[in-house]
Amino acid sequence: MWPTCFEDKLRTAHVKSAFLRLSGRIQDAFVHGFQVLEQLGESFPPTPEVGLIVQELLGMKQRLAGLSMSDLTDLDVMSNVQKKNAMRFLEEILIMCYQNQSKYFPLIAIRMVKITLQYGLSKYSAAGKIFSFIALALFLIFSSKRV
């Protein structure tokens, strides 16, 4: 049976992404994942420049500084289906970024946190928050050594 709706196509795209990753075709998996994210309204630069990464990390630090732990734990459940699907692909790409030490790692983690803060919690939100905090901590450690 051929995919008939966008949701079916996303399931197929997820299987393809997992197949590419598990068969060692990491670059193809990245390209495929970013193409799907583009269709879901989440675009990323072709090459993550250090300046953009720093800018995003500082923005996230500022955004989180005004929030309490209860602000984060009391978020509504995500109801936007498109964002839920985006979070699923972001999580898969985040794992690949971590495993391959990709410069996209902090950008993906931060995007996951931004989506969570704007649209609510999903089962993929925790990974984004944890990795974003790790990325932010690493950035703060490395930037303090240069000063």
Side-chain angles (χ1 to χ4, degrees):
M1 177 178 226
W2 294 101
T4 57
C5 66
F6 187 64
E7 188 78 20
D8 289 342
K9 291 177 184 175
L10 286 175
R11 283 189 213 110
T12 303
H14 187 68
V15 170
K16 179 179 179 179
S17 183
F19 169 77
L20 291 169
R21 179 176 53 84
L22 293 171
S23 63
R25 296 171 51 192
I26 302 301
Q27 187 59 35
D28 291 338
F30 272 118
V31 169
H32 175 70
F34 282 122
Q35 287 172 345
V36 172
L37 285 172
E38 184 79 32
Q39 293 175 2
L40 291 167
E42 300 298 330
S43 59
F44 290 87
T47 305
E49 301 294 331
V50 174
L52 175 63
I53 295 169
V54 170
Q55 179 182 349
E56 290 289 323
L57 285 168
L58 290 173
M60 182 53 60
K61 177 184 175 188
Q62 184 178 14
R63 174 79 165 102
L64 292 174
L67 299 176
S68 69
M69 187 55 93
S70 64
D71 290 332
L72 297 174
T73 57
D74 294 342
L75 291 170
D76 292 330
V77 174
M78 189 179 296
S79 59
N80 185 306
V81 175
Q82 184 171 345
K83 295 303 176 185
K84 283 182 186 180
N85 286 318
M87 290 290 280
R88 182 178 183 188
F89 280 91
L90 286 165
E91 182 188 51
E92 182 149 332
I93 292 175
L94 184 74
I95 292 166
M96 287 190 303
C97 288
Y98 177 75
Q99 291 170 337
N100 295 284
Q101 301 175 350
S102 170
K103 287 184 180 181
Y104 280 104
F105 178 81
L107 294 179
I108 300 293
I110 288 169
R111 183 70 57 90
M112 291 179 80
V113 174
K114 283 181 178 179
I115 291 171
T116 298
L117 292 174
Q118 186 172 358
Y119 293 94
L121 294 168
S122 77
K123 64 181 179 179
Y124 306 106
S125 296
K129 280 194 266 187
I130 291 167
F131 284 122
S132 183
F133 292 134
I134 292 168
L136 183 58
L138 291 173
F139 166 74
L140 293 173
I141 291 167
F142 290 124
S143 64
S144 67
K145 289 183 178 180
R146 288 187 230 165
V147 175

